[in-house]
Amino acid sequence: MFALAGGVVARLRPLGQMALGVLYPPACLHCGADVARHGLLCSACFARLHGVVAPFCKACAVPQVSAGMLGADGLCPACERHHSAWGQARAAFVYESVARELILKLKYADQTDNAAFLAQQMVRVGRDILVDDALVVPVPVHRWRLFRRRYNQAALLAHAVAKLAGLRCLPDALVRVRSTVPLASFSRQARWDEVAQAIMLRSSCGPRVRGRDIVVVDDLLTTGATAAACTNALLQGGARSVSLLVAGVVPPRRDVDMDQPDYGHVG
Ligand SMILES: [Zn+2]
Ligand SMILES: [Zn+2]
């Protein structure tokens, strides 16, 4: 009986996809050109993605011009000077050009289809941190922001990554207890302190996090302030390790000294 029903559903599904294809012909996620299937980029847009490939820093995921830039432990000079709170980080793309547009439209323009494409690429680069039994946890947004945007783009990515990798996602493990605003005039340290106090581990999730390897998922890795706050909250809650997996990484501006206050978005 169930097998029969399942068979009918299996036969109907391609029909549904066909009907969808007639109503909405598959279009490139970026430019709208014709593509073979839904959820793809056309070859011209795909060629404009700057994927992160080796050599890249294990801690900040930023691609390096040569392997000689990395120390014995695989860290770039900046990460050797200031060790990150998390263990490893992987990014699918450098945040520029088409990747930047895909991420911005996922975040601000309701293009949630972009999450599936970005998640596929994140799983591709994150294979070695998406270890067996790891828990996938999104970076939280404050509920006011959730109210305005209706969804958390990091949670969409985390769900898609977990599904593709066959892992559990714990969407509510971290909570943003207060809304942080870009504090342009504050020093780097003040902004880090502000974010650090804004993110907490939900007490009911403590037992599920304890002793586990966690992969924190976000759309972007910029200053690392948010990622560090998430990592510290998880480690204080007893997580065994924390890694980061993001869609886009923003390379540090070479004209800005990492130790000096910079002025921009807290990310
Ligand atoms: Zn295109
Ligand atoms: Zn680095």
Side-chain angles (χ1 to χ4, degrees):
M1 178 67 189
F2 287 116
L4 180 68
V8 170
V9 171
R11 280 201 296 279
L12 286 176
R13 198 174 293 132
L15 288 176
Q17 282 166 359
M18 225 153 68
L20 190 71
V22 172
L23 286 174
Y24 303 103
C28 168
L29 292 171
H30 180 59
C31 74
D34 290 346
V35 287
R37 276 184 292 117
H38 285 283
L40 296 178
L41 287 178
C42 72
S43 52
C45 290
F46 198 85
R48 290 174 58 210
L49 290 168
H50 181 175
V52 175
V53 290
F56 58 82
C57 171
K58 280 185 172 179
C60 67
V62 172
Q64 307 293 310
V65 286
S66 77
M69 295 297 290
L70 299 171
D73 46 5
L75 303 187
C76 71
C79 290
E80 275 187 335
R81 270 192 297 152
H82 299 282
H83 272 266
S84 59
W86 56 87
Q88 304 219 12
R90 298 286 182 275
F93 302 109
V94 175
Y95 186 64
E96 61 183 26
S97 176
V98 172
R100 180 173 176 274
E101 293 288 318
L102 289 176
I103 292 167
L104 283 173
K105 285 176 183 167
L106 166 64
K107 209 163 171 172
Y108 299 111
D110 287 354
Q111 278 198 21
T112 50
D113 287 353
N114 294 1
F117 173 79
L118 293 168
Q120 278 170 20
Q121 307 301 317
M122 290 160 73
V123 169
R124 182 181 53 78
V125 296
R127 276 206 185 95
D128 56 341
I129 57 170
L130 292 164
V131 293
D132 279 351
D133 220 32
L135 268 182
V136 181
V137 171
V139 168
V141 295
H142 191 265
R143 60 193 162 83
W144 294 347
R145 191 171 287 185
L146 202 59
F147 180 73
R148 278 204 305 274
R149 286 201 204 141
R150 292 176 291 116
Y151 58 88
N152 171 3
Q153 73 282 354
L156 293 184
L157 291 170
H159 274 294
V161 162
K163 195 171 171 193
L164 288 168
L167 298 172
R168 289 274 312 274
C169 179
L170 209 53
D172 298 324
L174 294 171
V175 58
R176 210 178 268 259
V177 290
R178 59 178 206 241
S179 178
T180 46
V181 288
L183 303 165
S185 59
F186 278 41
S187 71
R188 181 175 185 269
Q189 189 58 51
R191 288 191 287 120
W192 277 60
D193 292 346
E194 171 76 10
V195 181
Q197 290 159 21
I199 292 176
M200 293 177 70
L201 178 65
R202 201 180 288 272
S203 54
S204 59
C205 290
R208 297 164 78 181
V209 159
R210 209 163 293 138
R212 302 291 294 271
D213 297 308
I214 313 285
V215 178
V216 170
V217 166
D218 204 358
D219 53 342
L220 264 189
L221 177 58
T222 45
T223 64
T226 305
C230 292
T231 301
N232 289 331
L234 288 161
L235 289 177
Q236 280 162 22
R240 185 164 68 171
S241 74
V242 178
S243 308
L244 292 186
L245 183 57
V246 297
V249 65
V250 182
R253 286 171 293 163
R254 288 185 183 81
D255 54 329
V256 175
D257 187 320
M258 290 289 279
D259 296 329
Q260 295 301 311
D262 52 357
Y263 302 101
H265 164 78
V266 175

